[in-house]
Amino acid sequence: MSEHTDSPIRSTSTGDDAITCDVAPTIKAREDVDGCGCLECRNIETTTTNRTVLDALVWSVRLFRSYPSILAFAGVIILANRLLETDSIALLPMPAIGVAEAVTAFAFIISIRAYVGTIVAGELTGEPVTIREGMRRSIARTPALVGVILLIVFSVMTIPFFVSLPLFLLVGVLPVTPVEMVSFPVAAAVGGIVFAVPFLFLLFKFWFAPEACVIGQYGPLKSLRVSWRITTNYRGKFVLIVIIAIGSAVSLYLPTYLPEMGASLASLNPVVHLISSSVGELLSIVWASAYAHIYVQGIIS
């Protein structure tokens, strides 16, 4: 398995005879691979391609048991987020609080997702990477990953705006306002739909760009194109992902607001909020692992 890596692989044997790689694998599209790009040459089992989204989620949970470092890194970030929500943080000056919040957000959105993606790539190719190499790949891909995130944010905000701009110009030249022509709810719904449809469409098409950047080591623009191509074949799975994610979010954050409905449970509200927020952030890391798995499925198919 040397075709899909950028440098020779150096392996070390652990105590249980497992082989751990010192170089994280790079999984690209077949046309971007030098040499043979079949599954056998990449050491990717066919069971990987046959897993459903639910199977990928279960696999991700099991992955965390094999890599406690993921939980350790995530735990540090989650603990920092909870500390930032306490009243004791108010003792620090505002610049220090802002820097701490920015660092934890960056680590949670960028660093931990890059690390998890690297671990997933190693597991799916049968060559688990070391913590050192996982951190090295994460740090090395951080500039490109930041570029990907910025391009996604720019695209999903500006393109829907220009798409809906003709509607706003038309409204501006009409002799009457849309509210006078139709009710306000109808006017607001039409305007929201005109903006929301391209926004959600682009967000869907670029969903796997971070994984393409980290696991495939593509540049920012190429990562967007790779994600666009992958999502063409994953509409059904993406719908299932959205449904499960929404259901998980509702089930996790609804208990936060339930104590507010009864004064007798008001004292439990901080505890419920603490638990639900921490579990929600931890589950988002499980989702990141599943997204990395789905990226590999899409890129090799």
Side-chain angles (χ1 to χ4, degrees), residues 105-121:
F106 182 88
F108 194 82
I109 297 174
I110 302 294
S111 301
I112 192 66
R113 186 162 183 175
Y115 182 76
V116 170
T118 304
I119 296 299
V120 169

Side-chain angles (χ1 to χ4, degrees), residues 255-260 262-276:
T256 304
Y257 302 98
L258 289 179
E260 299 178 1
S264 60
L265 298 177
S267 60
L268 297 178
N269 190 35
V271 177
V272 175
H273 174 75
L274 175 68
I275 296 175
S276 62

Side-chain angles (χ1 to χ4, degrees), residues 15-225:
D16 57 355
D17 295 332
I19 301 300
T20 304
C21 293
D22 289 331
V23 176
T26 299
I27 306 178
K28 295 178 177 285
R30 180 170 298 184
E31 59 270 20
D32 297 329
V33 175
D34 295 331
C36 181
C38 67
L39 298 182
E40 183 177 357
C41 291
R42 299 183 188 220
N43 287 345
I44 299 176
E45 299 180 356
T46 54
T47 53
T48 298
T49 63
N50 296 329
R51 286 193 182 103
T52 64
V53 174
L54 292 177
D55 292 335
L57 287 172
V58 175
W59 180 88
S60 298
V61 174
R62 294 174 180 172
L63 178 68
F64 289 179
R65 294 189 302 179
S66 302
Y67 285 88
S69 60
I70 298 177
L71 295 178
F73 295 153
V76 171
I77 299 173
I78 292 173
L79 178 60
N81 285 335
R82 298 294 79 79
L83 291 176
L84 289 172
E85 295 173 355
T86 61
D87 296 334
S88 59
I89 198 68
L91 300 176
L92 298 176
M94 287 303 297
I97 297 176
V99 171
E101 291 177 344
V103 170
T104 56
F106 182 88
F108 194 82
I109 297 174
I110 302 294
S111 301
I112 192 66
R113 186 162 183 175
Y115 182 76
V116 170
T118 304
I119 296 299
V120 169
E123 282 295 304
L124 293 181
T125 54
E127 298 177 347
V129 299
T130 61
I131 296 177
R132 179 184 62 182
E133 181 52 36
M135 295 297 295
R136 182 189 303 171
R137 170 66 67 84
S138 301
I139 295 173
R141 299 307 299 167
T142 292
L145 190 54
V146 171
V148 169
I149 299 299
L150 292 177
L151 283 176
I152 293 176
V153 173
F154 177 80
S155 299
V156 300
M157 295 304 296
T158 58
I159 295 178
F161 170 77
F162 285 112
V163 170
S164 57
L165 186 59
L167 176 63
F168 294 121
L169 293 177
L170 178 62
V171 170
V173 299
L174 290 176
V176 294
T177 63
V179 177
E180 295 176 349
M181 299 176 58
V182 294
S183 63
F184 175 77
V186 174
V190 172
I193 291 174
V194 171
F195 183 87
V197 169
F199 174 87
L200 295 176
F201 175 77
L202 291 173
L203 191 62
F204 160 61
K205 298 301 291 184
F206 297 149
W207 195 263
F208 298 104
E211 283 68 35
C213 178
V214 175
I215 302 175
Q217 296 202 71
Y218 290 107
L221 288 175
K222 181 65 175 179
S223 296
L224 297 185
R225 290 196 292 267

Side-chain angles (χ1 to χ4, degrees), residues 233-292:
N233 301 322
Y234 274 84
R235 291 190 181 94
K237 285 192 174 185
F238 184 80
V239 170
L240 180 58
I241 288 174
V242 172
I243 293 175
I244 297 177
I246 293 176
S248 299
V250 171
S251 63
L252 285 171
Y253 289 96
L254 184 60
T256 304
Y257 302 98
L258 289 179
E260 299 178 1
M261 301 173 60
S264 60
L265 298 177
S267 60
L268 297 178
N269 190 35
V271 177
V272 175
H273 174 75
L274 175 68
I275 296 175
S276 62
S277 298
S278 300
V279 174
E281 291 172 350
L282 187 60
L283 282 180
S284 68
I285 301 175
V286 178
W287 280 108
S289 176
Y291 296 147

